[in-house]
Amino acid sequence: MRTLVAIPCMDMMHTSFVISLTGMRMKGETKFVYSVSSLVYDSRNGLARRAIAEKFDRVLWLDSDMEFRPDLFQRLSDDLDEGRDMVAAFYVTRKDEIKPCLFKKCGYEHHEDHVKPVAKTYYDYPKDSIFECEGVGFGGVMMNVSLLKEVEEKFGLPFAPMLGFGEDLSFCLRVRELGKKIWCDSRI
């Protein structure tokens, strides 16, 4: 199994992130790649193209301002081995208001004269389990490259922001439009 560890970043990586990264236990062939840009969606799109072009099997997306446990890679990989296409580790925002980067509802409400983007945080998520959700932040997400290919083939740039959403939730909306599921593992 070939996995690209994809790290979009602005201009630096936080010390706690680097310490987490050096302690992470890997399996299979892995390649670490980062992309520097002030536009996160631009970095993610470039990293996605690279994963597809270099024929990786999986991508582990890591945000350079997060910390994680050494078993993150192994646990997410095991979740994909069970037949899932995309699984996120559970995490919360780093700044006030501290809340899960997890969404119970993510989409658009259609009104008579306008469309309103809606993202409702998933506060009552199942503890210590893997469960389906409508959207996740990309602080720690592993997915099959075949899913990236499907999204790119249907929509073009997989992480191009949609009206009212960042690149991560825009990707989740596209995944769900393909009829695919998004999972979160709150054990991680």
Side-chain angles (χ1 to χ4, degrees):
M1 187 69 55
R2 297 182 68 234
T3 304
L4 179 71
V5 179
I7 307 163
C9 56
M10 295 277 282
D11 60 352
M12 65 173 209
M13 294 183 194
H14 293 248
T15 304
S16 57
F17 169 80
V18 174
I19 291 168
S20 293
L21 195 61
T22 59
M24 191 165 54
R25 294 187 298 270
M26 308 292 182
K27 76 175 192 177
E29 180 185 337
T30 56
K31 182 176 185 176
F32 293 83
V33 179
Y34 65 93
S35 175
V36 177
S37 175
S38 60
L39 302 173
V40 176
Y41 70 88
D42 189 47
S43 286
R44 288 199 197 283
N45 282 324
L47 292 164
R49 281 191 297 274
R50 189 164 180 176
I52 293 167
E54 295 182 23
K55 297 182 175 23
F56 281 91
D57 301 301
R58 294 178 173 168
V59 177
L60 172 60
W61 299 97
L62 296 174
D63 282 354
S64 63
D65 61 350
M66 302 305 293
E67 296 177 38
F68 43 87
R69 294 177 3 187
D71 64 346
L72 174 82
F73 185 102
Q74 181 67 49
R75 306 250 338 241
L76 289 174
S77 186
D78 290 348
D79 288 339
L80 289 186
D81 288 345
E82 293 172 4
R84 297 174 184 92
D85 287 314
M86 175 178 166
V87 180
F90 175 82
Y91 73 102
V92 297
T93 58
R94 291 185 309 113
K95 298 180 180 171
D96 287 338
E97 158 194 4
I98 303 296
K99 60 185 178 180
C101 293
L102 176 63
F103 299 89
K104 192 173 207 170
K105 181 173 172 69
C106 180
Y108 292 99
E109 288 179 354
H110 297 274
H111 299 276
E112 219 173 90
D113 59 343
H114 69 284
V115 175
K116 178 183 174 186
V118 176
K120 295 193 188 261
T121 302
Y122 201 161
Y123 289 104
D124 59 338
Y125 60 91
K127 309 294 189 268
D128 296 319
S129 68
I130 188 162
F131 56 93
E132 190 177 348
C133 56
E134 289 200 6
V136 294
F138 268 59
V141 173
M142 188 177 279
M143 67 180 59
N144 291 318
V145 172
S146 59
L147 179 62
L148 273 176
K149 282 185 195 175
E150 283 185 65
V151 171
E152 183 183 63
E153 286 169 5
K154 176 150 183 164
F155 302 103
L157 294 173
F159 291 98
M162 296 169 69
L163 175 66
F165 293 106
E167 88 290 345
D168 46 7
L169 292 184
S170 295
F171 184 84
C172 292
L173 287 167
R174 292 178 177 111
V175 165
R176 288 189 12 257
E177 192 169 319
L178 288 171
K180 304 288 185 173
K181 295 180 179 183
I182 298 166
W183 299 90
C184 179
D185 192 335
S186 62
R187 300 169 297 184
I188 306 172

